[in-house]
Amino acid sequence: MEESLLSVASLHALAYCERLFYLEEVEQLKLANAAVFAGRRLHVEIAQEEGDTVERLEFENGELGIRGAVDVLRTRGGTMIPYEHKRGKSAGSPGAREAWKTDQIQIGAYALLVEHSHGVPIEEGRVRYHADNITVRVAIDQELRTQVGAAISRARTLRESIERPPVTDNERLCVKCSLAPVCLPAEARFATEGRDDGDLIRLLPQHPQGQTVHVMENGSSVGRSGHQLVVRGRDEPDQKLPIADVGQVVIHGYAQITTQALQLCAERGIGVHWLGFSGSPVGSLAPSAPSAQRHLRQFRALSDSAQTLPLARRLVVAKLESQLRYALRSTRSEEGRAQSVAAACDRIRDALRRAAHAEAADELLGHEGTGAAAYFELMPTMISDDLGGEFTFEGRNRQPPRDRVNAILGYAYGMLYREALQAIIAVGLHPGVGFYHRPRSSGSSPFFCVIA
Ligand code: SF4
């Protein structure tokens, strides 16, 4: 089978960090951060500014195994010079400015493509750094040609692998990396080296400008007008939301969304979630990228109890600790705790102790259940008297919830589920298989559908 061509941009990523190349090229994870958006804007502006004098040309060559689009190709003194435009600053020191290694590889690869296409030797490429308004010359010498060849060869090897390369040793690269929210370098270092940097990045990638749009009123609908979502209420004027400002859309109850609006969300990788009347999750259309390699690794890891049990234990222990802490705090009083309250807290404590040493997932489920029963037994005690008796709790019930407390719980669980689902899908994992509960293949599981 013919190997697909590598993009020159992927060689730039490879020179930056092998893991970045793998995530983008092999796992097809793309997440544009502010810098990426700014870079795209720059290319549009250059094209607008330079008008007809610019040729942004697409090249590909099967022999080299690469393809790419040169920003600008100019002829100077009878020779052709490819230009690459960058938003940031150049490398080197004042008076001795140079192109970054990644940009050298990129312009070197473009030079080879132009050479093969036009049949003329290219001796020089140029990189324009807009932040310091400097154009740096890059010699297309033998050394750079060898480096480009080595990068292509390494990229091909990585493309065949099902293992993600490790995170880079140079942590400063991660700070500016657009894929840090899904690569999770701090977590990866924690997992492999036991290193806790104390400041783990947020698991759920935040949309740079995105807001969550909740459409709650029955009979309201979300439609599309150009690049805007239009929220139409029954008695309210239409609200127009530029799609660039939307992070995700949540449709509650019987609110509607049109096919045209769904298409716009799918095109922009914006998740759409449906919640039932009580806030229970019904389904999701979520942005992700399919990757057989990633799912294979996930399924392999999740079929090994040596990996899943410690994770499940930590999860249950964290939940029980949190329940105990909250129960103790909200039942504190000057008269001391009633005997029944103290006994329920003791049961959570005991479940916590046992869960920390559980030898099997079924055993953990038992301890989690014991803790949950004791916690919900305490719930009436934890509801403040200031609420005037409007909030009562006589046990957990759902679908439909029969009191206000259960309605709030159902709604909050639904929102939490949506956040967790989004986070799982955003890092490219399959949400149907986890490390604790057995996979559910039918019944009441909410559907999710991935935007390809
Ligand atoms: S976050 Fe760091 S390790 Fe991960 S892809 Fe980016 S640069 Fe590489």
Side-chain angles (χ1 to χ4, degrees), residues 336-384:
R337 289 189 180 86
Q339 212 175 354
S340 60
V341 171
C345 289
D346 280 346
R347 287 213 303 284
I348 302 178
R349 243 186 231 107
D350 187 51
L352 179 55
R353 236 183 337 261
R354 291 170 189 268
H357 300 101
E359 294 293 338
D362 285 349
E363 189 188 339
L364 267 178
L365 282 169
H367 300 317
E368 185 193 5
T370 304
Y375 184 76
F376 283 121
E377 193 178 304
L378 290 170
M379 186 73 83
T381 330
M382 294 193 277
I383 296 172
S384 168

Side-chain angles (χ1 to χ4, degrees), residues 136-201:
V136 177
R137 295 170 179 232
V138 179
I140 313 298
D141 55 16
Q142 192 49 48
E143 190 185 344
L144 183 57
R145 289 166 189 270
T146 307
Q147 288 172 358
V148 173
I152 296 170
S153 159
R154 179 67 182 146
R156 285 185 176 144
T157 305
L158 285 175
R159 209 163 51 172
E160 296 306 311
S161 166
I162 67 159
E163 298 297 334
R164 268 185 194 178
V167 293
T168 173
D169 291 336
N170 185 350
E171 294 172 35
R172 279 178 305 165
L173 295 179
C174 304
V175 175
K176 290 188 177 167
C177 177
S178 64
L179 280 192
V182 291
C183 165
L184 306 176
E187 285 81 353
R189 289 187 188 105
F190 177 71
T192 54
E193 304 162 24
R195 254 184 56 192
D196 185 355
D197 294 339
D199 186 23
L200 296 185
I201 57 174

